[in-house]
Amino acid sequence: MSGSKSIAQVIVDVPTKATDRPFDYLVPEALMSEVRLGCRVKVPFGPRKVLGYVVGLKDEAETPRLKAILDVLDFVPPLTPELVRLGFFMADEYMCHTMTALASMVPAVLKGTYEKVVRLHPEVDAQADSLLTLSAAPLLTHLREKKECLWDEALTLVANDAPLLRQLAEAKWIQVEERIGDRVTRQKVMWVRPKQSVNQLKQTLEQLSGRAKRQQEVLRYFIRHPEEIPLSSLLTELQVVRSTIQKLVELDALAWEEREEYRDPFKDRKFQPTKPLSLTEEQAEALQAIVQPIRDRRYCSVLLEGVTGSGKTEVYLQAIAEVLNTGREAIVLVPEISLTPQMVERFKGRFGDQVAVLHSGLSSGERFDEWRKIRRGEVKVAIGARSAIFAPFQQVGLIIIDEEHESSYKQEENPKYHAREVAAWRAQYHGATLVLGSATPALETYYHASLGMHEWVTLKERVHGRPFPAVKIVDMREELRKGNRTMFSDTLREELLACVERGEQAVLFLNRRGFSTFVMCRECGETLMCPHCDISLTYHQTNRTVRCHYCGYAERVPQTCPSCQSQHIRHFGTGTQRVEEELARRFPGVRVIRMDVDTTSRKGAHERLLKAFGEGKADVLLGTQMIAKGLDFPKVTLVGVIAADTMLHLPDFRAAERTFQLLTQVSGRAGRHEKPGKVIIQTYSAEHYSIDLAASHQTETFYKQECFMRKQHEYPPYCSLFTILISHPDRVTVMRTGQEMARQIQTGMPAECQLLGPVPAPIPRLKDRYRLQMLVKYQAERGHALMLKPLLREVVAMFDDPELRISVDRDAGELMEIRDGW
DNA sequence: TCCTCTGAAGCC
DNA sequence: GCTTCAGAGGAC
C-alpha cells in the first residue's frame, strides 16, 4: 500500500441533478482516524465550502489533482453503513437526490448551517489606514469595534460592492471564513467532584486562609457529601459563586468537567412498571408467529390483522421482549396522532429507560437527544412516527408498524418514501421480522398477504370476549324527507340524550376531509375563494377570519359580499365549530370538548383535552380524524359519525377503502370496557358498500369487494402507478409543457404501460401556480419500473424551466394532499 | 473600446 | 446551488 493515498467519496450538500453523485477528496493525514463512513465533512466545492456525507472510502495510488477534506464535523458518524446504503436505495427508488435521502435520515439539527463571517485580517497593518479607500472605511471601522460580522452585513457596509470585498481579502485586510455548524449546540452541564479523599480534603481545609470563608464552606460540603454534583446545583445550594469553585479546582482539591446532558422530555413523569399480561389463545398464536422468525434470525413479514380492542399492543410488547432477549433492537412505528401519552406510557412502563420516543411534539434539541441515545446504543427500543424508521440501530431484530394502513406513513415531500417499504428494506438487511398490524390493513397489504407474501395471523376477538358495538346506519335523506333539516338525526339525538342521562360519555366524529365551513353569499351565490388557490376559504369562528388551508392566506370575514355588496353573507358547511354551536343550542347543559386544529394547535393541548375528557369533565368529545384511533375511555358507550360519506366522493381511488377504515376505527372507540357500546353512522350514501360493510363488521367481504373494484378499473394493487405533477405560474405554459411531456413519455414507455392525462390536478391552482397531473400505470412484476424510472428522469431533465416544478411520485401521492386534521 | 448583463458550465 | 466566465449588446 506504499505511496497510495486515502480517498473519501463524498455526497455534497448541493442537491441538484448535476452534483448528485459522490465526489472524491483526499483524506489529510491528520484527519485519517476521524474520517469515517457516514460522517459529515466540510469540503471545498468549487469556490466555496460545503457540508457533505462520506459514503465511501478507498485507497488509490493515482490521485490526479484532488482537493482535501477540510474538517470532520462528527465524532460519531450520524449514519451507519447500513443507512448510507439505504440512502442510495431511496434516491433510486423515490427518484430524489442522494443528499435529500441521506439528510432525511438524521435529526434536523444535523442539517447544518452556513455562515459566512468577515473579520479583520490578523496581519492587517495599522499604519496602512492612510491607504483606506473611502468606500471600505465604514466596514473597517465596524470590524475594529465588533471584531467580526456576517458577509451580508459587510456587503451592506460597502454599498454592495462584492468585488471590493474580494480585493480587501486578497490584499489581506480582511479574512473571510465559511462556518458550517449544527443548528443547536448540545446542552452542556458542568459537574464538580472532589479530587481528593475526605482526609485530604480536611487537610486542605485547614491550610486555607481564615478569610476564605466561602471556600471553607464548599470543602466542608464535599467532606459531608464526597460525590459529584452539577455546578449549578452546588452554587445555588451553598450560595457561592463560580470563582470560589475555580480557586478550589486550582488548588487541586476539586475537579470539574463539562458533560453533555440529555434533555429528557419525560423527566418529570413516573411510569408505572407493568408486567406482561397473560395472553388469549389467539394472541399467543400471533406472538408465536412473530417470535419464531425472530429466533431464527431470518427476514419475515407478518400481517397481524386484529380487530379493534383485540390486544395487538400486548402482542407487540411481548415480541419486543423476545427481541431484547436475543440482544437485538426493535423499532415501533405508530401514526403521529396515536402517539399519545397512553401509548408511550405502555412502552415506557414495560421497558423503562430502554425506550427512546421520537415524535413531533419534541423540540429539535429533545429530538436530537432521543436520537443520540439510539445512535450510542443506550436504548434498545425506538418508538415514533414515520421518520423513526431511520432509527440508527445496528442490530435490528424487529420492526413493528402499527395501524399500517395509515396514510401518514407516506411522506409527501421529497424523499417521498413509504415507511412500510423502508421498513421492509431494513428488515431484509438485518434478517429481522417485520410486523404490519392493523384492524383494517391497507388493501395492498391484504392482497399481498392473500398471495402468501406475508405471514398472516388474525385476532378476531376482543379481549375478555367483549362484544362488538351495535352499529346503526341512519339515512340522512330519510331525515330530510321527515322534515328534519338539522345535522342530528332523531336517532342520534335520542341516543345522545339517553347516554348523557345515564352519566356515560359520547364521542362525536366529524370527518371534515374535503368538507369544511365555507362562506357564501345568499344573494348572488358567490363563495369566498382564496386569491392564490382554487379552493374555497374556510371559516374560523375563533377570530372571525376565513383562511386558506393550503397556502395559509387569511382575511377577516367581510361584512358584505365582495361581488354584489349584499349583506346576506354567511358561513355554510358542517365544521366542528358549527356542530359545537348546534350541540349547545339543542342540548343545553351538555358539556362538550372540541378537538380540531383550532383547539389543539398549542403544544400539549391535545393531551390536556383528552385528559379532561378521561376525567369526566365533559359528556361529549367532538372532533375530527384525530380522535378516530387509539382512544380508550371506559365510559364511552356511544359513538356518532355526523356525516360518513364526506370523503367518499373525493377524486381518489382509495376513497372507499379510506371510508371503510375510518368507520371501522371510529366504531372501535365504543364499548371497549364493561358497558356495551353503540355506534350511529349518519350518511347520505347508506347503500354504499364501504359504509354498509363497516357497519356490519364484514371486513373480509369488504376487501373482496374492493379488490374486485380495483381489478375492474385497473388500480393498485393490480397495477403500480407513477404520478407526475407539474406546476407553473402561467396557465398556457403549463398546458403546453404537459402536452409535450406526455408525448415524450408516451413515446418512450413500454407499450403495455398506460398514460393518463395530462389533466388538471385535484387542486388546479395552488399558491398562484397552475397544476396538471399525469398518471402512468405499469406492472411492477414485469420490470416496467426499471424502464420507466430512467425514462421519467430523462424527460424531467429535458424541461428545465426554472419556473416549472415537476414532482414524480410512485403511487398517487397528490390525491392524498388533503391532510388529516384539516 | 470598455462595461454590464445574462446564460451555461463546472464543481472532486 | 453558487460562482465564474465568456459572449453579446449597449453607451460613450
PDB file of all heavy atoms in Angstrom, chain A residues 21 24 45-46 67, chain B residues 8-12:
ATOM      1  N   ARG A  21     -23.896  12.919  -7.232  1.00  0.00           N
ATOM      2  CA  ARG A  21     -23.005  11.769  -7.321  1.00  0.00           C
ATOM      3  C   ARG A  21     -21.849  12.006  -6.341  1.00  0.00           C
ATOM      4  O   ARG A  21     -21.600  13.143  -5.941  1.00  0.00           O
ATOM      5  CB  ARG A  21     -22.462  11.622  -8.742  1.00  0.00           C
ATOM      6  CG  ARG A  21     -21.607  12.793  -9.155  1.00  0.00           C
ATOM      7  CD  ARG A  21     -21.308  12.772 -10.633  1.00  0.00           C
ATOM      8  NE  ARG A  21     -20.661  14.021 -11.020  1.00  0.00           N
ATOM      9  CZ  ARG A  21     -19.360  14.251 -10.902  1.00  0.00           C
ATOM     10  NH1 ARG A  21     -18.576  13.337 -10.378  1.00  0.00           N
ATOM     11  NH2 ARG A  21     -18.858  15.401 -11.269  1.00  0.00           N
ATOM     12  N   ASP A  24     -14.698  12.822  -5.102  1.00  0.00           N
ATOM     13  CA  ASP A  24     -13.535  12.275  -4.387  1.00  0.00           C
ATOM     14  C   ASP A  24     -12.720  13.369  -3.706  1.00  0.00           C
ATOM     15  O   ASP A  24     -12.457  14.412  -4.315  1.00  0.00           O
ATOM     16  CB  ASP A  24     -12.621  11.536  -5.372  1.00  0.00           C
ATOM     17  CG  ASP A  24     -13.234  10.219  -5.817  1.00  0.00           C
ATOM     18  OD1 ASP A  24     -14.297   9.862  -5.270  1.00  0.00           O
ATOM     19  OD2 ASP A  24     -12.669   9.559  -6.696  1.00  0.00           O
ATOM     20  N   PHE A  45     -15.787  23.059  -2.438  1.00  0.00           N
ATOM     21  CA  PHE A  45     -16.560  22.640  -3.609  1.00  0.00           C
ATOM     22  C   PHE A  45     -16.644  23.835  -4.545  1.00  0.00           C
ATOM     23  O   PHE A  45     -17.353  24.795  -4.265  1.00  0.00           O
ATOM     24  CB  PHE A  45     -17.942  22.159  -3.201  1.00  0.00           C
ATOM     25  CG  PHE A  45     -18.656  21.423  -4.292  1.00  0.00           C
ATOM     26  CD1 PHE A  45     -18.184  20.186  -4.727  1.00  0.00           C
ATOM     27  CD2 PHE A  45     -19.784  21.954  -4.895  1.00  0.00           C
ATOM     28  CE1 PHE A  45     -18.839  19.504  -5.742  1.00  0.00           C
ATOM     29  CE2 PHE A  45     -20.441  21.271  -5.901  1.00  0.00           C
ATOM     30  CZ  PHE A  45     -19.959  20.042  -6.329  1.00  0.00           C
ATOM     31  N   GLY A  46     -15.931  23.791  -5.629  1.00  0.00           N
ATOM     32  CA  GLY A  46     -15.824  24.976  -6.465  1.00  0.00           C
ATOM     33  C   GLY A  46     -15.154  26.037  -5.616  1.00  0.00           C
ATOM     34  O   GLY A  46     -14.236  25.743  -4.846  1.00  0.00           O
ATOM     35  N   LYS A  67      -8.877  17.743  -4.250  1.00  0.00           N
ATOM     36  CA  LYS A  67      -8.825  18.623  -3.088  1.00  0.00           C
ATOM     37  C   LYS A  67      -8.942  17.763  -1.832  1.00  0.00           C
ATOM     38  O   LYS A  67      -9.327  16.594  -1.893  1.00  0.00           O
ATOM     39  CB  LYS A  67      -9.979  19.627  -3.144  1.00  0.00           C
ATOM     40  CG  LYS A  67      -9.817  20.652  -4.274  1.00  0.00           C
ATOM     41  CD  LYS A  67     -10.876  21.714  -4.174  1.00  0.00           C
ATOM     42  CE  LYS A  67     -10.778  22.694  -5.332  1.00  0.00           C
ATOM     43  NZ  LYS A  67     -11.896  23.652  -5.308  1.00  0.00           N
TER      44      LYS A  67
ATOM     45  P    DA B   8     -28.561  29.036 -21.371  1.00  0.00           P
ATOM     46  OP1  DA B   8     -29.214  28.661 -22.635  1.00  0.00           O
ATOM     47  OP2  DA B   8     -29.244  28.841 -20.079  1.00  0.00           O
ATOM     48  O5'  DA B   8     -27.152  28.316 -21.297  1.00  0.00           O
ATOM     49  C5'  DA B   8     -26.049  28.797 -22.062  1.00  0.00           C
ATOM     50  C4'  DA B   8     -24.801  28.094 -21.582  1.00  0.00           C
ATOM     51  O4'  DA B   8     -24.257  28.815 -20.450  1.00  0.00           O
ATOM     52  C3'  DA B   8     -25.033  26.659 -21.113  1.00  0.00           C
ATOM     53  O3'  DA B   8     -23.969  25.866 -21.612  1.00  0.00           O
ATOM     54  C2'  DA B   8     -25.072  26.770 -19.591  1.00  0.00           C
ATOM     55  C1'  DA B   8     -24.145  27.958 -19.326  1.00  0.00           C
ATOM     56  N9   DA B   8     -24.487  28.758 -18.160  1.00  0.00           N
ATOM     57  C8   DA B   8     -25.738  29.091 -17.683  1.00  0.00           C
ATOM     58  N7   DA B   8     -25.723  29.857 -16.615  1.00  0.00           N
ATOM     59  C5   DA B   8     -24.373  30.049 -16.366  1.00  0.00           C
ATOM     60  C6   DA B   8     -23.685  30.781 -15.378  1.00  0.00           C
ATOM     61  N6   DA B   8     -24.287  31.469 -14.411  1.00  0.00           N
ATOM     62  N1   DA B   8     -22.334  30.766 -15.406  1.00  0.00           N
ATOM     63  C2   DA B   8     -21.724  30.071 -16.376  1.00  0.00           C
ATOM     64  N3   DA B   8     -22.252  29.349 -17.374  1.00  0.00           N
ATOM     65  C4   DA B   8     -23.597  29.385 -17.304  1.00  0.00           C
ATOM     66  P    DA B   9     -23.693  24.422 -21.150  1.00  0.00           P
ATOM     67  OP1  DA B   9     -23.252  23.692 -22.354  1.00  0.00           O
ATOM     68  OP2  DA B   9     -24.839  23.926 -20.347  1.00  0.00           O
ATOM     69  O5'  DA B   9     -22.450  24.625 -20.187  1.00  0.00           O
ATOM     70  C5'  DA B   9     -21.325  25.421 -20.608  1.00  0.00           C
ATOM     71  C4'  DA B   9     -20.218  25.265 -19.578  1.00  0.00           C
ATOM     72  O4'  DA B   9     -20.563  26.027 -18.403  1.00  0.00           O
ATOM     73  C3'  DA B   9     -20.019  23.830 -19.106  1.00  0.00           C
ATOM     74  O3'  DA B   9     -18.644  23.659 -18.806  1.00  0.00           O
ATOM     75  C2'  DA B   9     -20.897  23.756 -17.869  1.00  0.00           C
ATOM     76  C1'  DA B   9     -20.703  25.152 -17.285  1.00  0.00           C
ATOM     77  N9   DA B   9     -21.807  25.655 -16.481  1.00  0.00           N
ATOM     78  C8   DA B   9     -23.146  25.419 -16.636  1.00  0.00           C
ATOM     79  N7   DA B   9     -23.899  26.040 -15.764  1.00  0.00           N
ATOM     80  C5   DA B   9     -22.995  26.745 -14.986  1.00  0.00           C
ATOM     81  C6   DA B   9     -23.154  27.609 -13.893  1.00  0.00           C
ATOM     82  N6   DA B   9     -24.325  27.925 -13.366  1.00  0.00           N
ATOM     83  N1   DA B   9     -22.045  28.139 -13.340  1.00  0.00           N
ATOM     84  C2   DA B   9     -20.859  27.833 -13.875  1.00  0.00           C
ATOM     85  N3   DA B   9     -20.574  27.033 -14.900  1.00  0.00           N
ATOM     86  C4   DA B   9     -21.703  26.518 -15.414  1.00  0.00           C
ATOM     87  P    DG B  10     -18.013  22.251 -18.672  1.00  0.00           P
ATOM     88  OP1  DG B  10     -16.571  22.444 -18.328  1.00  0.00           O
ATOM     89  OP2  DG B  10     -18.409  21.487 -19.859  1.00  0.00           O
ATOM     90  O5'  DG B  10     -18.826  21.619 -17.445  1.00  0.00           O
ATOM     91  C5'  DG B  10     -18.128  20.935 -16.445  1.00  0.00           C
ATOM     92  C4'  DG B  10     -17.334  21.871 -15.565  1.00  0.00           C
ATOM     93  O4'  DG B  10     -18.124  23.051 -15.267  1.00  0.00           O
ATOM     94  C3'  DG B  10     -17.001  21.205 -14.255  1.00  0.00           C
ATOM     95  O3'  DG B  10     -15.613  21.323 -13.986  1.00  0.00           O
ATOM     96  C2'  DG B  10     -17.841  21.916 -13.210  1.00  0.00           C
ATOM     97  C1'  DG B  10     -18.314  23.187 -13.888  1.00  0.00           C
ATOM     98  N9   DG B  10     -19.752  23.379 -13.658  1.00  0.00           N
ATOM     99  C8   DG B  10     -20.787  22.789 -14.347  1.00  0.00           C
ATOM    100  N7   DG B  10     -21.962  23.175 -13.923  1.00  0.00           N
ATOM    101  C5   DG B  10     -21.681  24.062 -12.889  1.00  0.00           C
ATOM    102  C6   DG B  10     -22.557  24.800 -12.040  1.00  0.00           C
ATOM    103  O6   DG B  10     -23.783  24.797 -12.055  1.00  0.00           O
ATOM    104  N1   DG B  10     -21.858  25.583 -11.126  1.00  0.00           N
ATOM    105  C2   DG B  10     -20.491  25.652 -11.033  1.00  0.00           C
ATOM    106  N2   DG B  10     -19.998  26.448 -10.086  1.00  0.00           N
ATOM    107  N3   DG B  10     -19.667  24.987 -11.822  1.00  0.00           N
ATOM    108  C4   DG B  10     -20.324  24.213 -12.718  1.00  0.00           C
ATOM    109  P    DC B  11     -15.001  20.169 -13.087  1.00  0.00           P
ATOM    110  OP1  DC B  11     -13.555  20.204 -13.306  1.00  0.00           O
ATOM    111  OP2  DC B  11     -15.799  18.964 -13.339  1.00  0.00           O
ATOM    112  O5'  DC B  11     -15.292  20.642 -11.593  1.00  0.00           O
ATOM    113  C5'  DC B  11     -14.876  21.934 -11.159  1.00  0.00           C
ATOM    114  C4'  DC B  11     -15.602  22.234  -9.881  1.00  0.00           C
ATOM    115  O4'  DC B  11     -16.984  22.493 -10.155  1.00  0.00           O
ATOM    116  C3'  DC B  11     -15.578  21.065  -8.897  1.00  0.00           C
ATOM    117  O3'  DC B  11     -15.061  21.521  -7.667  1.00  0.00           O
ATOM    118  C2'  DC B  11     -17.029  20.630  -8.766  1.00  0.00           C
ATOM    119  C1'  DC B  11     -17.775  21.905  -9.132  1.00  0.00           C
ATOM    120  N1   DC B  11     -19.137  21.703  -9.661  1.00  0.00           N
ATOM    121  C2   DC B  11     -20.175  22.529  -9.199  1.00  0.00           C
ATOM    122  O2   DC B  11     -19.909  23.399  -8.369  1.00  0.00           O
ATOM    123  N3   DC B  11     -21.420  22.365  -9.694  1.00  0.00           N
ATOM    124  C4   DC B  11     -21.659  21.411 -10.600  1.00  0.00           C
ATOM    125  N4   DC B  11     -22.901  21.297 -11.049  1.00  0.00           N
ATOM    126  C5   DC B  11     -20.625  20.559 -11.083  1.00  0.00           C
ATOM    127  C6   DC B  11     -19.396  20.731 -10.589  1.00  0.00           C
ATOM    128  P    DC B  12     -13.486  21.232  -7.428  1.00  0.00           P
ATOM    129  OP1  DC B  12     -13.052  22.041  -6.282  1.00  0.00           O
ATOM    130  OP2  DC B  12     -12.754  21.325  -8.707  1.00  0.00           O
ATOM    131  O5'  DC B  12     -13.513  19.720  -7.032  1.00  0.00           O
ATOM    132  C5'  DC B  12     -13.964  19.351  -5.752  1.00  0.00           C
ATOM    133  C4'  DC B  12     -13.568  17.932  -5.502  1.00  0.00           C
ATOM    134  O4'  DC B  12     -14.373  17.085  -6.351  1.00  0.00           O
ATOM    135  C3'  DC B  12     -12.112  17.609  -5.823  1.00  0.00           C
ATOM    136  O3'  DC B  12     -11.543  16.940  -4.727  1.00  0.00           O
ATOM    137  C2'  DC B  12     -12.175  16.731  -7.058  1.00  0.00           C
ATOM    138  C1'  DC B  12     -13.558  16.106  -6.957  1.00  0.00           C
ATOM    139  N1   DC B  12     -14.203  15.827  -8.261  1.00  0.00           N
ATOM    140  C2   DC B  12     -14.560  14.493  -8.588  1.00  0.00           C
ATOM    141  O2   DC B  12     -14.307  13.597  -7.778  1.00  0.00           O
ATOM    142  N3   DC B  12     -15.168  14.247  -9.774  1.00  0.00           N
ATOM    143  C4   DC B  12     -15.427  15.256 -10.606  1.00  0.00           C
ATOM    144  N4   DC B  12     -16.041  14.969 -11.756  1.00  0.00           N
ATOM    145  C5   DC B  12     -15.077  16.603 -10.296  1.00  0.00           C
ATOM    146  C6   DC B  12     -14.465  16.854  -9.125  1.00  0.00           C
TER     147       DC B  12
END
